[in-house]
Amino acid sequence: TVRIQDARDLMDFYGVDGAQREQILELVRQARGRAWWYPYSDLMVDGLDRFMGFEEEAATIWTMEARIVPGLLQTEAYMTALSSSRRDTSAENLERSVRFRLQRQQLLTRLDPPHLHILLDEAAVRRRIGSPALMAEQYRRLIHEAQSGIVTLRIIPLDAELHQAPGFSFTVFGFADPDPKVVFEELLEGTVFFEAAEKAGRYLTAFEQARASAWDEAVSTRFLAELAERCEGG
């Protein structure tokens, strides 16, 4: 079978783009067999299977999140609380959604995990999802991941200097070679991807500008610890 990254490199070399490029990538995915997330495909919004493929292949992931804790760093209780807020699906599918999210997090424990650069808006970590005990556990999880060596986590304070992308959430996937990179944005009923180098570059520039407005890793970790202690103290 062919690695997806190798197929991308070959198509870059031969100038294959547009619909033909996506058709070839889909053939490569099929040749590699059904991915682990196939049993959950009925739960996915359009494009999420592509997201999972990019995430599995990525060497570096840059995520900026203004709304909630990113899925790869959520505790089971946090993701259960998020799922239970939905009223348009069955209890069985809510449980399957949580199992899917937990299995997705195995990405961080494999032998060659991607390196994650996470920017979290202070509003995202202050937003209460469930009980104080649940949030304390979630803060402790973020601290643990920030100390793991594969996750760089910074928080953008509410009073930070204004940056290029306030209130926006997006992910940029980087692969073994410097290019190409893929940008992902999630919508309420779908997903958007950008693969043009110029556009990916603009998103990374926005990420770096936002990072300059964020607390450093040590201050961010102390802030999370303070939030956890408040929740644990009632």
Side-chain angles (χ1 to χ4, degrees), residues 24-230:
I24 292 173
L25 286 175
E26 184 58 31
L27 287 173
V28 173
R29 294 184 187 107
Q30 291 176 14
R32 290 170 62 84
R34 289 181 174 177
W36 67 262
W37 59 84
Y38 180 81
Y40 303 101
S41 58
D42 59 308
L43 302 177
M44 296 181 177
V45 297
D46 290 343
L48 193 55
D49 56 337
R50 289 186 67 199
F51 174 90
M52 298 304 302
F54 290 138
E55 190 173 76
E56 288 284 320
E57 290 282 329
T60 308
I61 300 174
W62 296 266
T63 294
M64 182 166 169
E65 181 56 70
R67 298 165 295 199
I68 59 174
V69 172
L72 285 174
L73 306 183
Q74 293 173 6
T75 65
E76 182 175 356
Y78 187 99
M79 64 180 67
T80 298
L82 280 177
S83 296
S84 64
S85 66
R86 296 189 57 180
R87 298 290 182 266
D88 58 348
T89 190
S90 66
E92 178 185 0
N93 279 343
L94 291 176
E95 292 177 5
R96 291 177 61 223
S97 175
V98 171
R99 290 200 301 271
F100 162 72
R101 293 163 184 259
L102 289 171
Q103 192 165 349
R104 176 190 167 205
Q105 291 185 351
Q106 293 180 16
L107 179 77
L108 300 180
T109 57
R110 72 186 190 188
L111 292 177
D112 59 339
H115 192 93
L116 271 64
H117 297 281
I118 307 291
L119 286 181
L120 273 176
D121 196 287
E122 183 180 342
V125 293
R126 284 192 178 277
R127 178 164 289 109
R128 184 64 59 84
I129 306 293
S131 68
L134 183 157
M135 291 304 298
E137 180 189 29
Q138 180 61 72
Y139 296 139
R140 297 297 183 192
R141 167 71 183 277
L142 289 173
I143 294 169
H144 171 77
E145 297 295 350
Q147 297 171 341
S148 68
I150 64 169
V151 177
T152 300
L153 189 151
R154 292 188 176 193
I155 292 174
I156 304 171
L158 294 175
D159 60 355
E161 181 180 346
L162 189 63
H163 55 84
Q164 189 172 336
F168 287 90
S169 299
F170 59 85
T171 295
V172 180
F173 297 108
F175 304 97
D177 293 331
D179 290 307
K181 294 179 176 65
V182 177
V183 178
F184 164 82
E185 286 191 72
E186 185 174 9
L187 308 176
L188 182 61
E189 290 294 334
T191 55
V192 177
F193 294 92
F194 304 107
E195 296 191 51
E198 180 182 356
K199 186 156 286 191
R202 287 202 296 268
Y203 275 83
L204 280 178
T205 297
F207 185 94
E208 291 301 328
Q209 189 187 59
R211 179 154 57 181
S213 299
W215 290 321
D216 64 23
E217 291 93 324
V219 174
S220 298
T221 299
R222 287 200 298 272
F223 174 73
L224 290 169
E226 291 171 3
L227 291 180
E229 289 169 2
R230 292 177 198 168

